[in-house]
Amino acid sequence: MNDNHYSLEITQPEAEAILKRSEMVIIPTGSVEQHGPHLPLGTDHYAIMAISRKVAAGLDALLLPFSHAGVTAFHASFPGTITLRQETYMSLLTDTAVSMINHGAKKILFVNWHEGNTAAINSVGAQLQKEYNVRCMVAQACYIAQQMYKDEADLTHAGALEVLPVLYYRPELVKLDRATNASSYEKAKEVDALRRSHAVYPFLSDIRQIAPTGWYGDFKIVSEEKATELVKRVSQEIIHETTRIFSRMEATEQR
């Protein structure tokens, strides 16, 4: 079986065959935003593509092309960042998903690396399930990495856990020697934790409220070996959990 399940790079009959076998499509969601002087604006896109390609092969699902840009007004004060309105992003997600539903997709997996996309993805997934005979699921790849490496590194903007997948997928774009202006780690971590709380949390309008230079973190665990390990482990976890949860939800519906 061909490991390449990315629809931009395979023929129409190959894509159709994957859809018939698995009835599953993957929509990778990232962002185009600043990641300091050492990572590309496409960091979130490259991170999610590195992981989604492996997930698609492991699940025998069709990996779809999708917008590099996401919902990221939070980073818009830095030139080069592209942000979509939430309603625009939701329309893109919906139209992409419905195209595949019309071709027989019964399962849709959103694999996400950008926190700002979450509200739009959740809303679209719920609405698709309401209107069509389809089951939707979200895999938050960045949070899986955060949980896996919590004893080694924090999930910081443009820190080690964002460097690693890009180092794996597009190593020539990583310029760690230019990372000379990190914002204060402790101050940034404190405000970032408030934003990410699941209990009581504030709305922040600009990343500069967390990190005045746009990024914070360190690269203590960064290596080519660790980059390969992270992409493999996160991908395997998504494959395992997606299979388990889809199966569980199907059993629930049959009752």
Side-chain angles (χ1 to χ4, degrees), residues 110-209:
F110 301 97
V111 185
N112 184 49
W113 190 271
H114 176 60
E115 294 167 287
N117 295 336
T118 299
I121 293 170
N122 289 349
S123 181
V124 167
Q127 191 64 29
L128 287 170
Q129 287 192 170
K130 182 178 179 180
E131 296 183 8
Y132 299 92
N133 179 28
V134 66
R135 171 63 61 186
C136 298
M137 191 180 306
V138 183
Q140 296 283 8
C142 55
Y143 294 152
I144 294 171
Q146 178 186 36
Q147 183 63 27
M148 285 183 166
Y149 291 92
K150 62 183 179 181
D151 295 330
E152 300 180 61
D154 292 322
L155 179 60
T156 67
H157 191 68
L161 295 185
E162 296 213 289
V163 170
L164 289 171
V166 182
L167 185 63
Y168 170 85
Y169 195 65
R170 293 294 303 273
E172 75 280 9
L173 301 180
V174 178
K175 315 290 185 183
L176 294 187
D177 59 309
R178 300 181 185 177
T180 59
N181 65 335
S183 296
S184 168
Y185 192 95
E186 292 304 319
K187 290 181 180 179
K189 183 178 178 181
E190 178 187 6
V191 180
D192 218 2
L194 295 176
R195 175 178 70 97
R196 286 177 170 155
S197 171
H198 293 295
V200 179
Y201 50 88
F203 292 99
L204 303 183
S205 58
D206 195 319
I207 182 65
R208 296 177 196 268
Q209 294 173 267

Side-chain angles (χ1 to χ4, degrees), residues 34-52:
Q34 65 82 28
H35 280 80
H38 56 290
L39 287 176
L41 288 159
T43 288
D44 290 1
H45 169 71
Y46 294 129
I48 210 57
M49 287 303 297
I51 292 163
S52 293

